[in-house]
Amino acid sequence: MKLSLLSLSTILSPPPQLHHNHRRSIFFQSFKVRASSSPANSFSNHRVVVTRERGKNDKLIAALAKHGINSLELPLIQHKQLPDLEKLVSLLSATSFDWIIITSPEAALVFLQAWKAAGTPNVKVAAVGTGTSTIFHDASPSSKQFIEVAFTPSKATGKVLASELPKQGNERCNVLYPASAKASHDIEEGLSKRGFHITRLNTYTTEPVQHVDQTILQQALSASVVAVASPSAVGAWVDLLPEPHTWEGSVACIGETTASAARKLGLTNVYHPSTPGLHGWVDTIFDALRVHNRLSNV
C-alpha cells in the first residue's frame, strides 16, 4: 500500500545556484523572550521571511499582518515520506500502545493522516509542547473522540518529556514514537533508562528545497527577521547566505531546539519564545524587530 500523505513544496524555474562559502563559528548572543502584548512600535517598514512549505505559513502570515508586518514567503525545506510510514499504519491497525509520542507539528500532521488510514483507533498521545498539541486540538471533532492528548512536559524538549512521561509502577510500558529521521535519540535513550519499551518509526524526513527563486532570495537577504520552525530550515538558510558571518539579520525560532541549531551554525541574533507555539513565535518576532529598530537608531 503506497500512501501519498505529504506534499513537497518546490519553486519552479530553477535559477543558477549561489556560491556557498565555508561556514565559520563566531561569537553569538541568544535571546529567550517572554510573551508580550501588541508591538509598541510600527513595523510596517520591516519584512519578515517565513520559511515553511507553501500552505503552512498562512497562520503566521495572518498573525503578522494584523500588526502591519509584511511577510515574504520563501520555503526552505520540503518533507518526504519514508517507508516506515506504511509500518505506522499497520501498527496502529493491529497493536495498542500505552503512549504515542509526537514531538513536532509536522510529526503530528503525518501521524493524523496515518491514523485515519488505520481506521481511527483509540490512542493516547504525549505531545512535546503546546505547538504540537494544538494540531490535535484543531483536528475534526470526530478525531478528538479517539485521540486523547494526555501529557505535555513541563518544558518542550525531548529530554524533559522522556524524564517526565508517566509510567504505571514497574509494569512494562509500550511506547510508539513516529518521528522525523533527523530527530535526535534523546527520547529513546531517556525512556529506555526508565524501563519503557520504545518502538521508533522514521515516518518522514526533511530536505532543502531543490530550487530557490533568486529574486525572492535577494529580498530575503535584506529582511530584518527570518522565521524558522526547524533545525533543517536553519541549515537551509545558512547554506543560502553568501557570507554567513557578515549577515546582520535576526532569526526568530519557533522553539529552543531550533534556536540551539541556529547558534551552533554561528548565527548571531537568535530568538526563541519561552512557550513554543504560534503566539510565542509571533511575540519572538516582535522582540527581534524591536531590537533591530533600536540598533538602527543608534
Side-chain angles (χ1 to χ4, degrees), residues 5-254:
L5 303 181
L6 302 176
S7 60
L8 304 181
S9 296
T10 56
I11 302 177
L12 301 178
S13 302
Q17 295 292 316
L18 288 179
H19 175 70
H20 297 175
N21 288 351
H22 180 69
R23 299 177 183 168
R24 304 187 201 178
S25 297
I26 60 177
F27 176 78
F28 64 84
Q29 184 175 9
S30 174
F31 302 84
K32 185 177 181 181
V33 300
R34 298 178 180 273
S36 59
S37 58
S38 60
N41 301 315
S42 172
F43 300 134
S44 59
N45 60 329
H46 291 280
R47 177 178 287 157
V48 174
V49 182
V50 295
T51 59
R52 279 176 160 170
E53 289 179 291
R54 293 195 183 279
K56 297 182 180 179
N57 293 301
D58 295 348
K59 290 183 179 180
L60 179 58
I61 291 173
L64 294 174
K66 289 181 180 178
H67 299 284
I69 300 174
N70 298 315
S71 299
L72 177 68
E73 190 169 33
L74 180 69
L76 293 179
I77 62 170
Q78 57 192 16
H79 291 89
K80 178 183 178 182
Q81 68 183 56
L82 297 176
D84 275 359
L85 188 56
E86 296 184 18
K87 294 181 182 179
L88 175 59
V89 176
S90 299
L91 279 177
L92 290 173
S93 301
T95 310
S96 61
F97 292 88
D98 297 293
W99 289 103
I100 294 176
I101 295 178
I102 306 295
T103 58
S104 72
E106 185 63 34
L109 291 170
V110 173
F111 172 78
L112 278 173
Q113 295 178 70
W115 171 79
K116 291 176 182 177
T120 67
N122 289 308
V123 294
K124 186 166 70 172
V125 169
V128 76
T130 55
T132 300
S133 61
T134 297
I135 300 297
F136 295 103
H137 296 321
D138 291 345
S140 64
S142 60
S143 298
K144 297 176 185 178
Q145 298 177 20
F146 305 102
I147 299 177
E148 177 189 6
V149 181
F151 175 77
T152 55
S154 60
K155 187 177 182 181
T157 68
K159 287 184 178 180
V160 175
L161 186 150
S163 68
E164 296 180 348
L165 188 69
K167 184 182 181 186
Q168 297 179 351
N170 295 321
E171 296 180 7
R172 178 185 176 94
C173 192
N174 292 314
V175 176
L176 177 62
Y177 177 31
S180 164
K182 294 186 177 181
S184 74
H185 295 280
D186 291 341
I187 287 177
E188 300 105 291
E189 293 171 358
L191 290 179
S192 293
K193 290 178 181 179
R194 295 180 57 207
F196 287 80
H197 177 75
I198 306 103
T199 299
R200 172 169 174 163
L201 297 177
N202 293 325
T203 56
Y204 71 98
T205 190
T206 54
E207 301 174 342
V209 295
Q210 296 178 358
H211 306 292
V212 174
D213 185 296
Q214 297 299 296
T215 300
I216 297 177
L217 176 59
Q218 290 306 311
Q219 297 176 41
L221 291 173
S222 62
S224 304
V225 176
V226 174
V228 290
S230 69
S232 296
V234 173
W237 174 248
V238 171
D239 283 343
L240 290 173
L241 294 175
E243 297 183 16
H245 62 289
T246 64
W247 182 63
E248 297 180 351
S250 298
V251 181
C253 303
I254 197 170

